[in-house]
Amino acid sequence: MGSLLRFETLLHRERAAAIAADLDALESIAIEKQEALDELTDDTIDDELLGRIVTQARSNGRLLRHLVDLHRALVGGAEPVYGARGDLRAETDPGARLRRPA
Amino acid sequence: MSSSTVSSLLNVGATGLRAQSVAVNVTSQNLTNVQTEGYTRRNVLMDPLQGPPDGGGGVIARGSLRIVDQYVERRWLGAISEKAGAEASLQLSSRIDEVLSDSSGNVGQALDAFRAAVRDVSVNPSDTGARQVMLSRAESVASTFRNAETRIEESRDEADRRMADAIAQANAIASEISQLSQQISRSEASGNEASDLRDRRDQRIRELGKIVPITAVTAEQGRITVLLAGREPIIAADGAISPLKAVPDATTGRIRVERTAAGAPMDVTSWLNGAGSLGGLVEARDGALASAQTSLDQLAFDFANAYNTVQTAGFGLDGVSGRKLFDVSATATGAASSIALSVDVAGFPDRIGAASTAATVPGDNRNALDLAALETATVMSGGETVDGALGALITSGGLSVQAARDEVDARSAVEAQAKSARDSISGVNSDDEMVALTQYQRAYEAATKVVQTADEMLQTLLQLKR
């Protein structure tokens, strides 16, 4: 139950950091979220709280997408692909705006 | 947290990112123009937006700002003028070296041949053939003087023609600068960016600075005042141009530079002071070339008078004396262009005064020996021999050309230094710009990483939900 509550608190912090476009905070929160998720066991899960958390996480996801869209507009190019633990699966193409002219 | 608060906070983040987007554009533009001559580096002009309670806060990009240090720009412009002046002066002054080197060879050879002929007459004073050769060689010497003078005069004429061309070019550029200023003023008054126009205007100002020494003073509303030699405007702040004019001097016939202001012409030739190609041309024309011309005149004058003095004392085969060998101007001025075989003796070899008395002709060679002795006599101004004076003329010509070369080297070094100082402020450093772009790229990657991580965690949560 404690890990789930901690996860919920982290989601609130994540939302605030996303709104402020604070990428350093978001990266640090992502690590903490993963730690809280790793601590979860079947008997600590409360369905009602989990439902609330899923709703909040979806909402945060939309907000974070908006942030990415803004950054994509900023630099252009294709976005990189990362896994849940932050592992890079496909590198970014920086696009023409970030390339050094010949 | 209410929805309106969230919306407001979101806006703060979004305005920041939009402002950064402008910064990326500006950085990209800087990088694209890293090799563009005259391009001035831009920075983004960011303004904070009013925060709560009246506004939502955040930041807005107001456009880009050219990074310019007026003092450094002014120093560079001055150095450009000085360098252009030195180069124009050298280009024209080097003619002296060519003319005098060629002429010294010609005059030297002609002198040697003439002296040999004088010696032949002193050996055979009654030989008409030897006398004929001496007259012919005397005419050759006069002719080489005249040719050298003509070539120097032509160089000075060329300076006049190039000055007239440069003045026309300066007026055309001034007109372009004035038009650009009006465009800048209109563009900025309507809130548009005019950095490119300002770059173009600065480039034209530097082109004008290569022709005449100028100072550019920024005025209100993007306008500019361009002062000639830091004194009077040739482009006023309102865009009015006081054109320069090439006017032949009433006395010398040489081109003067005039500026018409308030309907009254003003001679501004002396303002140029060797700067700008126009100043360099004036400096070479009225300096080194004029000086070489004067020296050549003096040489021809002294040479002619030295031989005339001895020749007039001698008696021809007809027993008559008082005849000159050379006709030359009464004063040194114009002597090199006027020197010629005298009409007293031209076509009459028997009139060469080889004898020292009328009674001793035709065998008397004493006066011819005096003529031959002039070869080593110190008869020229400054106590020189003819050869010594000719050598001094060549040396002084060479020295003035060398001085002009040194001037170009010194001015070029100063210009390079001023340009380097300008580039360190206004030029694009591709490494710095790339660092900025890399920061934007990293931010993008971080944002992408965060959202994808969150997505995957959401999937995990959904799987936990039963």
Side-chain angles (χ1 to χ4, degrees):
Chain A
M1 188 77 168
S3 303
L4 214 48
L5 281 171
R6 185 178 156 214
F7 197 90
E8 188 181 28
T9 308
L10 287 167
L11 284 176
H12 287 301
R13 278 176 53 201
E14 182 180 64
R15 184 171 183 75
I19 289 166
D22 185 346
L23 290 168
D24 289 339
L26 284 170
E27 283 186 308
S28 146
I29 290 166
I31 294 166
E32 289 185 62
K33 274 168 65 189
Q34 187 60 53
E35 285 168 2
L37 208 55
D38 288 345
E39 286 168 13
L40 275 182
T41 53
D42 281 356
D43 54 346
T44 60
I45 296 170
D46 174 283
D47 282 347
E48 191 189 332
L49 179 57
L50 186 60
R52 216 166 57 217
I53 284 174
V54 166
T55 306
Q56 177 73 55
R58 278 201 178 111
S59 171
N60 279 14
R62 283 196 294 276
L63 201 55
L64 290 168
R65 264 238 163 263
H66 178 65
L67 189 65
V68 170
D69 287 344
L70 287 171
H71 275 286
R72 185 184 298 121
L74 192 72
V75 300
E79 64 184 84
V81 180
Y82 292 94
R85 293 177 187 280
D87 51 314
L88 180 65
R89 293 179 182 173
E91 285 193 4
T92 181
D93 170 6
R97 297 172 78 190
L98 291 189
R99 284 205 192 95
R100 184 190 286 265
Chain B
M1 191 179 283
S2 72
S3 64
S4 67
T5 309
V6 170
S7 167
S8 163
L9 286 173
L10 188 62
N11 196 37
V12 173
T15 59
L17 287 169
R18 279 194 206 99
Q20 293 304 323
S21 179
V22 174
V24 171
N25 276 338
V26 171
T27 305
S28 298
Q29 193 188 6
N30 282 345
L31 269 173
T32 307
N33 287 286
V34 69
Q35 304 283 4
T36 307
E37 180 69 27
Y39 177 82
T40 307
R41 179 167 62 92
R42 275 86 151 141
N43 262 5
V44 184
L45 199 59
M46 301 265 197
D47 274 353
L49 291 169
Q50 193 174 18
D54 298 328
V59 66
I60 188 167
R62 295 276 182 213
S64 61
L65 181 73
R66 294 163 76 244
I67 309 300
V68 174
D69 182 322
Q70 291 298 338
Y71 171 74
V72 173
E73 288 286 331
R74 212 168 288 171
R75 202 154 63 89
W76 186 30
L77 183 59
I80 285 172
S81 288
E82 300 281 356
K83 181 187 170 191
E87 283 174 343
S89 180
L90 171 62
Q91 206 182 9
L92 211 58
S93 302
S94 3
R95 301 285 172 80
I96 301 170
D97 220 9
E98 292 165 24
V99 172
L100 294 182
S101 300
D102 290 353
S103 304
S104 72
N106 294 339
V107 173
Q109 282 172 14
L111 273 173
D112 286 345
F114 170 66
R115 288 163 183 155
V118 173
R119 285 195 298 271
D120 284 349
V121 171
S122 71
V123 173
N124 298 299
S126 58
D127 185 345
T128 306
R131 286 167 173 265
Q132 184 60 55
V133 171
M134 181 181 147
L135 289 186
S136 165
R137 301 276 163 84
E139 171 50 28
S140 290
V141 172
S143 163
T144 53
F145 273 121
R146 291 197 302 270
N147 286 342
E149 200 281 337
T150 300
R151 287 178 65 184
I152 293 176
E153 186 68 8
E154 279 171 357
S155 296
R156 297 186 76 194
D157 290 346
E158 187 191 325
D160 279 343
R161 284 194 298 276
R162 285 170 60 180
M163 281 174 69
D165 289 346
I167 287 168
Q169 204 188 346
N171 287 335
I173 295 172
S175 170
E176 240 184 298
I177 292 170
S178 173
Q179 284 167 16
L180 281 166
S181 285
Q182 285 167 30
Q183 286 176 38
I184 291 165
S185 189
R186 276 198 299 271
S187 180
E188 291 182 351
S190 51
N192 294 323
E193 179 81 33
S195 292
D196 288 342
L197 287 171
R198 280 176 175 268
D199 272 357
R200 276 173 57 196
R201 184 176 66 182
D202 284 357
Q203 191 72 358
R204 293 288 176 276
I205 288 171
R206 287 192 279 271
E207 282 168 22
L208 183 58
K210 283 182 184 171
I211 301 173
V212 282
I214 50 168
T215 314
V217 182
T218 47
E220 286 178 353
Q221 297 170 335
R223 294 182 179 276
I224 201 158
T225 303
V226 177
L227 301 170
L228 179 65
R231 297 192 191 188
E232 298 289 336
I234 47 176
I235 305 171
D238 64 1
I241 297 169
S242 302
L244 299 177
K245 207 171 163 191
V247 181
D249 185 87
T251 313
T252 64
R254 293 279 165 219
I255 293 288
R256 284 191 289 116
V257 186
E258 275 187 3
R259 168 185 167 271
T260 305
M266 182 191 290
D267 186 351
V268 294
T269 316
S270 64
W271 292 11
L272 303 174
N273 203 23
S277 58
L278 206 50
L281 288 169
V282 172
E283 192 174 73
R285 183 195 69 181
D286 298 346
L289 284 169
S291 168
Q293 204 168 25
T294 304
S295 300
L296 193 66
D297 276 344
Q298 190 66 52
L299 183 68
F301 184 73
D302 290 346
F303 169 79
N305 283 321
Y307 278 89
N308 281 346
T309 303
V310 178
Q311 157 68 20
T312 49
F315 290 80
L317 291 174
D318 55 2
V320 177
S321 68
R323 292 168 179 142
K324 292 188 292 184
L325 188 58
F326 295 103
D327 283 335
V328 72
S329 52
T331 61
T333 307
S337 60
S338 66
I339 186 170
L341 187 64
S342 174
V343 292
D344 290 354
V345 294
F348 302 101
D350 56 318
R351 294 184 179 179
I352 290 173
S356 58
T357 65
T360 52
V361 291
D364 183 3
N365 70 346
R366 283 173 293 172
N367 205 56
L369 286 171
D370 287 346
L371 280 171
L374 288 174
E375 189 173 336
T376 53
T378 51
V379 289
M380 310 297 276
S381 297
E384 298 267 14
T385 62
V386 173
D387 283 348
L390 183 62
L393 173 62
I394 295 155
T395 306
S396 72
L399 284 176
S400 66
V401 174
Q402 187 54 50
R405 277 201 191 99
D406 292 346
E407 187 75 3
V408 167
D409 289 347
R411 297 297 176 190
S412 297
V414 170
E415 194 273 335
Q417 207 176 26
K419 183 177 187 301
S420 167
R422 186 262 178 195
D423 284 350
S424 70
I425 293 166
S426 303
V428 177
N429 182 324
S430 60
D431 291 339
D432 288 351
E433 306 293 345
M434 279 311 289
V435 166
L437 286 185
T438 306
Q439 283 169 350
Y440 296 123
Q441 186 182 343
R442 282 195 187 132
Y444 173 44
E445 286 170 359
T448 313
K449 185 175 173 181
V450 164
V451 77
Q452 290 178 8
T453 308
D455 277 351
E456 291 228 354
M457 277 190 249
L458 180 60
Q459 292 307 313
T460 309
L461 288 171
L462 286 171
Q463 282 164 16
L464 291 172
K465 206 174 169 192
R466 293 166 291 216

